[in-house]
């Protein structure tokens, strides 16, 4: 009997031990599940202008590719559909959501003081990407983007050389100017580049200034209308590729030739892959590059901030330009956007 009781006790102990072991195993599963749901992600709220151009689409893709869960981020992406009010709303929502960082691609330069101050008071660093803001520098951490005035100057310098090479340096030159969203840095600075050149070249004049909103559809519509009453143009200065596509379409409809072998010189900004293809085909004379791949650049700024180092205030991207006489298929093959 004594032996039986002893055996029962041993059995019970063994059962308890195996239960503890089983529970232990089961508990081991739990942390894995917790790891799945409670990853320590850095939350980034990104207010994007919209999707008006191929450049913008490439820019959004670059941000989405940089701020993935795999890279340790949760990206809250907001498309403002070209409206500054929507950008205000997005930023205020990011503040309520207590995101770790706010990234803003501002539609225009002005009107940001209040909302940036709110972010600062909430202790959320703001990084400005692409276009600039006309606000106190204390209200944002860093800006990364292009030298838009440099781009404009590259274009007009090229035009000066091109006209000289064609023996037209002294001739009257009429320029049709397709402008992007009014008040956007890309518009303001590329326009300033052209204005400087108009001032320094007495024989250059504006045929017209057309607002093309950075879209192919608007540029096509407005240029078609313009060409109904005036076809005396030598150059079209398009403040982005998509507007150049619209202009080329309108010129073709009006029976006006353009590009390498045509009557009208086409200058475009951005140099997205489809524009470079038009350049190689001789339809666009010059593509001035504006690089949209800002995702990794913004991520580097955030990494710097996370390691408690003050990042560089203004980061300019290196850019180049492509002439239809020298562009190659290899250059296009290397293009990722
Ligand atoms: O701010 C950059 C400009 O915005 C690009 O040139 C244009 O294509 C985009 O929409």
């Amino acid at each position: 009997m004594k032996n039986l009781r002893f055996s029962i006790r041993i059995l019970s102990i063994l059962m308890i031990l195996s239960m503890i072991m089983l529970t232990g195993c089961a508990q081991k599963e739990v942390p894995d599940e917790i790891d799945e749901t409670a990853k320590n992600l850095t939350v980034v709220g990104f207010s994007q202008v919209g999707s008006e151009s191929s450049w913008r689409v490439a820019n959004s893709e670059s941000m989405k590719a940089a701020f993935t869960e795999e890279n340790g981020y949760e990206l809250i992406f907001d498309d403002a559909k070209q409206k500054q009010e929507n950008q205000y709303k997005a930023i205020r929502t990011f503040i309520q959501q207590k995101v770790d960082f706010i990234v803003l691609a501002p539609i225009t330069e002005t009107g940001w003081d209040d909302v940036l101050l709110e972010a600062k008071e909430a202790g959320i660093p703001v990084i400005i990407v692409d276009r600039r803001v006309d606000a106190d520098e204390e209200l944002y951490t860093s800006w990364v983007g292009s030298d838009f005035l440099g781009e404009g100057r590259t274009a007009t310098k090229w035009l000066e050389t091109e006209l000289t090479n064609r023996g037209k340096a002294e001739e009257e030159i009429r320029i049709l100017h397709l402008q992007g969203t009014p008040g956007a840095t890309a518009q303001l600075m590329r326009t300033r580049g052209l204005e400087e050149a108009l001032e320094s070249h007495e024989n250059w004049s504006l045929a017209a200034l057309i607002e093309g909103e950075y879209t192919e559809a608007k540029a096509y519509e407005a240029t078609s209308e313009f060409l109904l009453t005036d076809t005396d143009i030598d150059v079209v200065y398009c403040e982005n590729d998509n507007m150049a596509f619209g202009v080329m379409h309108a010129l073709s409809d009006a029976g006006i030739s353009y590009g390498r072998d045509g009557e009208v010189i086409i200058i475009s900004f951005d140099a997205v892959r489809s524009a470079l293809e038009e350049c190689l085909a001789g339809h666009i004379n010059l593509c001035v590059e504006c690089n949209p791949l800002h995702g990794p650049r913004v991520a580097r700024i955030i990494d710097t901030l996370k390691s408690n180092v003050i990042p560089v205030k203004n980061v300019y991207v290196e850019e180049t330009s492509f002439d239809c006489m020298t562009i190659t298929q290899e250059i296009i093959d290397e293009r990722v956007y």
Side-chain angles (χ1 to χ4, degrees), residues 7-210:
S7 307
I8 288 172
R9 200 171 293 157
I10 292 288
L11 244 172
S12 318
I13 290 169
L14 280 172
M15 276 175 71
I16 289 167
L17 274 175
S18 51
M19 275 178 73
I20 289 171
M21 278 173 72
L22 274 173
T23 323
C25 289
Q27 275 175 347
K28 228 180 147 200
E29 300 281 311
V30 176
D32 283 349
E33 281 173 29
I34 288 171
D35 274 359
E36 274 306 298
T37 49
K39 285 176 192 147
N40 201 10
L41 300 176
T42 300
V43 182
V44 174
F46 175 41
S47 170
Q48 175 62 290
V49 169
S51 53
E52 72 283 2
S53 63
S54 310
W55 185 100
R56 187 67 54 194
V57 172
N59 177 245
S60 294
E61 279 169 10
S62 170
M63 295 293 287
K64 286 175 184 169
F67 295 103
T68 58
E69 272 199 25
E70 257 180 6
N71 292 346
Y73 292 99
E74 181 190 338
L75 178 69
I76 308 175
F77 182 97
D78 187 90
D79 178 341
K81 300 189 166 46
Q82 302 292 323
K83 291 203 166 43
Q84 190 171 35
E85 309 86 81
N86 290 343
Q87 296 208 286
Y88 293 156
K89 256 187 242 160
I91 292 171
R92 291 192 169 116
T93 307
F94 296 154
I95 294 171
Q96 277 168 11
Q97 290 169 319
K98 296 188 169 52
V99 300
D100 297 306
F101 297 93
I102 291 173
V103 182
L104 167 65
I107 182 158
T108 52
E109 290 196 350
T110 54
W112 297 106
D113 300 74
D114 290 352
V115 80
L116 290 181
L117 184 62
E118 288 166 40
K120 191 177 172 69
E121 284 171 354
I124 303 174
V126 177
I127 295 141
I128 311 291
V129 68
D130 173 30
R131 302 170 187 174
R132 307 201 66 136
V133 290
D134 182 8
D136 186 342
E137 285 211 347
E138 293 299 307
L139 295 179
Y140 60 93
T141 307
S142 275
W143 165 83
V144 58
S146 303
D147 174 3
F148 297 107
L149 178 57
E151 291 174 359
R153 287 174 175 162
T154 298
T156 53
K157 189 84 205 122
W158 174 89
L159 181 59
E160 189 184 83
T161 310
E162 178 68 11
L163 292 171
T164 305
N165 293 343
R166 291 181 183 210
K168 290 184 168 185
E170 306 303 324
E171 283 184 20
E172 290 299 313
I173 300 295
R174 295 188 83 228
I175 302 172
L176 179 62
H177 180 187
L178 266 288
Q179 214 170 48
T181 308
T185 315
Q187 177 274 309
L188 294 168
M189 294 298 117
R190 289 170 187 165
T191 295
R192 187 186 291 177
L194 178 58
E195 284 169 351
E196 285 177 356
L198 285 165
E199 267 173 40
S200 58
H201 295 81
E202 277 185 356
N203 56 325
W204 293 14
S205 64
L206 261 195
L209 193 159
I210 292 177

